Amino acid sequence: MTEERTTEVNEPGGNTHTHTTVIKESGGGSSGAGWVIAIVLVAALAVGIYLFANASGSEAAKDNAIAGAAKDVGTAAQKVGDAAQTAAEKVGEN
């Protein structure tokens, strides 16, 4: 609540001075909205950290899968090369 008080002073010489005082009263207590916002922010931060940690883990798993597939392709190519060498040797014998 805001209250205005105006004081008027009349001097003997005929001069008049006016002074206005504004009084604001504070409620004294808070509604707790600050705590609710803080809790929501902490919860959002926790969810963000959890999602980031899972995304990093899935990236590592994807990288490992690609490396494994590349190794398998290399092994298969080696086997094809060996088979071709064997076939060439057999053709040369005939």
Side-chain angles (χ1 to χ4, degrees), residues 29-41:
S30 66
S31 64
W35 284 105
V36 172
I37 292 171
I39 290 170
V40 169
L41 288 176

Side-chain angles (χ1 to χ4, degrees), residues 73-87:
V73 167
T75 303
Q78 182 65 39
K79 288 181 180 180
V80 168
D82 291 345
Q85 182 68 32
T86 304

Side-chain angles (χ1 to χ4, degrees), residues 1-93:
M1 184 172 116
T2 303
E3 180 181 340
E4 267 189 37
R5 292 184 186 169
T6 304
T7 306
E8 197 172 288
V9 178
N10 293 320
E11 292 183 355
N15 294 332
T16 303
H17 299 283
T18 305
H19 178 74
T20 303
T21 305
V22 178
I23 301 170
K24 286 180 134 182
E25 294 181 17
S26 63
S30 66
S31 64
W35 284 105
V36 172
I37 292 171
I39 290 170
V40 169
L41 288 176
V42 168
L45 181 64
V47 169
I49 290 171
Y50 175 76
L51 292 175
F52 180 74
N54 283 343
S56 296
S58 66
E59 283 292 321
K62 183 176 77 172
D63 292 345
N64 290 339
I66 291 171
K71 183 178 178 184
D72 291 344
V73 167
T75 303
Q78 182 65 39
K79 288 181 180 180
V80 168
D82 291 345
Q85 182 68 32
T86 304
E89 289 172 0
K90 286 186 179 183
V91 168
E93 292 174 1

